[in-house]
Amino acid sequence: MVTSSEVVNTGYSVLALVADAAVLAIAIGFGLSRTSPSGRERWGRFRDGVSPIALHLAWIVAVLATLGSLFLQFGEQLDPCEFCWFQRICMYPLSLLLGIAAFRGDIQVAKRYFIALASVGAALAIYHYQLEHIPQPTVCGTAVPCNVAVINIFGFITVPFLSMAAFLLITTLLLVARGRDDEYAGDDDAVTGDAEPDEPVPSPARVSSRS
């Protein structure tokens, strides 16, 4: 019999896989954009399309991650380990601050301050995940050891994997988003030809005639 906990955990695992696939696809798209003018043009159109909803998507990811951690603790009675708490310190503020930034439409503030927080959370999650899969002594309390996977979906998706997917997607969305004050020259001007021509350098003859 399938329990509600299994349904929730499997649902979150599928979302984590979708998030990782999205991050990988965006990374590949960025790499291809560096290879040709047409690739840069497509990348610019993609960024223009994603930017209006990037903050809202990042906020939804943070809220879902926060609710998932609370479900594991209070719904399944799984106490968080020390590294889980460190990741929560990074994720919980994002679920509030990204919401405020999204409704204010302030991409610049989000990019300036929240990318660092999400990046630290991703690094902690990656380190926590390897603790579960590489045999080594636990580095935190024995009451709730950090090197034991409390859930294991599809044979490899654990709590830090879910956390890592959320942090990576939030970081990627914030990096891709364009604010009103962002410069477009680096991505599109070379393709569209909209960049202003360089000021011509006067010839030596003209310089001597003026003098």
Side-chain angles (χ1 to χ4, degrees):
M1 180 178 177
V2 179
T3 64
S4 59
S5 294
E6 292 174 335
V7 171
V8 172
N9 291 336
T10 302
Y12 268 94
S13 299
V14 172
L15 289 176
L17 294 176
V18 172
D20 288 339
V23 171
L24 180 60
I26 292 172
I28 293 174
F30 174 76
L32 294 176
S33 73
R34 306 296 100 180
T35 61
S36 67
S38 61
R40 285 195 295 273
E41 186 177 10
R42 287 192 295 269
W43 175 254
R45 289 199 300 267
F46 169 75
R47 289 190 68 185
D48 291 340
V50 169
S51 293
I53 61 173
L55 275 181
H56 295 82
L57 290 176
W59 174 56
I60 290 172
V61 172
V63 170
L64 287 175
T66 298
L67 293 176
S69 70
L70 293 176
F71 173 79
L72 289 174
Q73 182 175 359
F74 299 106
E76 297 196 22
Q77 306 300 317
L78 298 175
D79 293 330
C81 68
E82 290 182 13
F83 270 101
C84 289
W85 277 116
F86 293 152
Q87 291 161 66
R88 289 183 179 197
I89 290 172
C90 294
M91 183 64 73
Y92 286 11
L94 288 174
S95 65
L96 173 63
L97 297 175
L98 282 173
I100 296 173
F103 284 102
R104 289 173 57 90
D106 201 338
I107 294 178
Q108 293 303 121
V109 169
K111 290 170 71 74
R112 185 176 298 115
Y113 299 109
F114 303 157
I115 288 177
L117 191 60
S119 299
V120 171
L124 289 170
I126 292 171
Y127 181 74
H128 188 187
Y129 186 69
Q130 66 87 27
L131 284 177
E132 294 179 335
H133 291 80
I134 300 177
Q136 55 192 295
T138 182
V139 295
C140 61
T142 56
V144 185
C146 297
N147 57 352
V148 176
V150 294
I151 65 170
N152 195 335
I153 308 298
F154 305 142
F156 66 96
I157 297 180
T158 61
V159 173
F161 185 96
L162 299 174
S163 175
M164 174 185 63
F167 280 122
L168 289 178
L169 184 56
I170 291 171
T171 303
T172 302
L173 288 169
L174 294 180
L175 287 172
V176 168
R178 267 182 171 145
R180 289 187 295 270
D181 299 330
D182 284 348
E183 285 289 341
Y184 281 69
D187 288 338
D188 301 329
D189 288 346
V191 178
T192 62
D194 293 338
E196 295 182 1
D198 294 333
E199 183 179 352
V201 179
S203 64
R206 291 182 179 179
V207 173
S208 60
S209 63
R210 289 177 185 174
S211 60

